[in-house]
Amino acid sequence: MKVVIVNISHIKFSKVICETIKESAKVRGTGIAERTPEYITKKISTGDAVIAIHKDEFAGFCYIETWDNKEFVVNSGLIVHPNFRNQGLAKKIKKKILEYSKKKYPKAKIFGITTGLAVLKINYELGYQPVTFSELTTDEAFWNGCKTCKNYDVLLRMDKKMCLCTGMLYDPNHDKNVKEHPYNSKVLSRLKKIKQALFLKKNKK
């Protein structure tokens, strides 16, 4: 298994990457913003992504976006193909793209938003900290990217200040980005359920 920075030879995987993201959203029943093959192709062409390959077969992917004049970097679109899940690959991809982002944009704050508890755990172990949306980019183009997510109406109702997603931030200006407390999946799972109960209940009224 190789986890590498993309190059143009990986453009052939653009379609399967998008299909995997779409199918994952259906299976999980949670919000995942869809992306087009053209968009993924652009990310690959500019070298703003990492990809996992096993014997020329697509295994996983994650890409980089920049916002606010490169003050913020987001690692987005993390996906692992079903054939390669439960092998620790997601963490390897996240670690690789975090290292790449820090090297390419050394002064930027790196963040992501997700509803997935597994991704929250990975981010936390890599040094990300949970934050409010007010600490993330204010660029409208970023939040517009959430329009294809099934929970976009929740984001709008909350005036883009919160959603079912949790924001996590890696700030290179901090002396250390190491977790001070052990990861507690039960606490985050409970918080996620509370969010769903509050936001989705309002949506039914």
Side-chain angles (χ1 to χ4, degrees), residues 1-139:
M1 180 72 67
K2 297 187 296 183
V3 181
V4 300
I5 298 168
V6 293
N7 59 61
I8 58 174
S9 71
H10 299 125
I11 290 176
K12 62 184 179 181
F13 296 113
S14 295
K15 185 176 180 180
V16 68
I17 290 170
C18 293
E19 291 174 346
T20 305
I21 292 173
K22 186 175 182 179
E23 288 304 311
S24 179
K26 290 180 181 178
V27 172
R28 286 167 50 185
T30 56
I32 301 178
E34 295 180 20
R35 295 292 181 260
T36 64
E38 292 76 17
Y39 185 85
I40 297 301
T41 294
K42 181 179 178 180
K43 287 298 173 185
I44 294 174
S45 298
T46 57
D48 285 320
V50 300
I51 193 169
I53 302 293
H54 179 66
K55 297 180 180 179
D56 202 38
E57 184 179 355
F58 167 70
F61 184 78
C62 191
Y63 63 84
I64 295 172
E65 292 178 310
T66 62
W67 306 98
D68 296 307
N69 295 316
K70 300 180 181 178
E71 179 182 345
F72 287 95
V73 165
V74 62
N75 295 160
S76 190
L78 173 67
I79 193 68
V80 173
H81 193 277
N83 294 345
F84 299 96
R85 289 175 185 165
N86 302 313
Q87 300 178 29
L89 182 55
K91 187 171 183 178
K92 291 179 182 178
I93 294 172
K94 287 289 289 185
K95 184 177 180 181
K96 180 73 173 182
I97 202 162
L98 174 62
E99 293 171 348
Y100 182 41
S101 298
K102 288 164 63 179
K103 182 178 180 180
K104 192 168 185 178
Y105 305 101
K107 296 182 180 180
K109 295 178 181 179
I110 304 166
F111 76 95
I113 60 173
T114 182
T115 58
L117 293 177
V119 177
L120 286 172
K121 182 176 186 293
I122 291 170
N123 284 347
Y124 189 75
E125 291 174 346
L126 291 175
Y128 290 77
Q129 298 297 325
V131 296
T132 62
F133 283 7
S134 63
E135 295 184 59
L136 308 180
T137 179
T138 57
D139 195 316

